[in-house]
Structure formats: structure tokens, C-alpha cells
Amino acid sequence: MRKILINIIRFYRKYISPLKKPCCRFYPSCSQYALEALEKYGALKGTFLAIKRILRCNPFCEGGYDPVK
């Protein structure tokens, strides 16, 4: 399952993300964060952390440096 999710994110980064303007308020970007979380924690916890991060990436959040912990 982890590999499937990683491939979906890589597909997004290669084919969909270049069509949009950069809008992530964090470093590393949300997609990079999701990849790192999946690789470090596996499918279940990695997905949870990625979703939590994406929900924080909005105009009301300051953003900044936020590595996978």
C-alpha cells in the first residue's frame, strides 16, 4: 500500500503540480512531506500525517519550515 501511495504522489508531482502555480506555505512542500512521512512511518501513519499537513496548508496558516517528525 505504501508503494502505491508513493507512486500516486510522484505522479502528482510530475504531471499535475507543474500545471499549477506554487502555493505551498511550508518547506518542504506538502507533497515532499507526504513522501517522507510515508517512507518513514508507512501507509497508515504516513497518510494521517500527510492529510494533517495538507489541512494546515491554507491562507490562515503562517507556514514555514516543518519537517516530518
Side-chain angles (χ1 to χ4, degrees):
M1 185 58 141
R2 180 177 62 96
K3 288 187 178 192
I4 293 170
L5 294 169
I6 288 172
N7 285 332
I8 290 170
I9 294 169
R10 287 186 178 150
F11 177 85
Y12 166 80
R13 293 182 81 183
K14 186 171 185 177
Y15 297 107
I16 298 172
S17 184
L19 301 175
K20 301 171 30 180
K21 65 178 182 163
C23 61
C24 190
R25 300 176 169 280
F26 292 101
Y27 177 81
S29 68
C30 292
S31 60
Q32 181 63 37
Y33 182 94
L35 284 175
E36 291 175 15
L38 288 168
E39 289 172 358
K40 185 171 183 179
Y41 294 110
L44 188 60
K45 185 172 180 180
T47 300
F48 173 75
L49 290 171
I51 290 171
K52 199 169 130 180
R53 165 71 176 271
I54 291 168
L55 291 175
R56 286 187 286 142
C57 191
N58 62 61
F60 304 109
C61 183
E62 187 174 317
Y65 181 66
D66 181 31
V68 176
K69 298 175 185 156

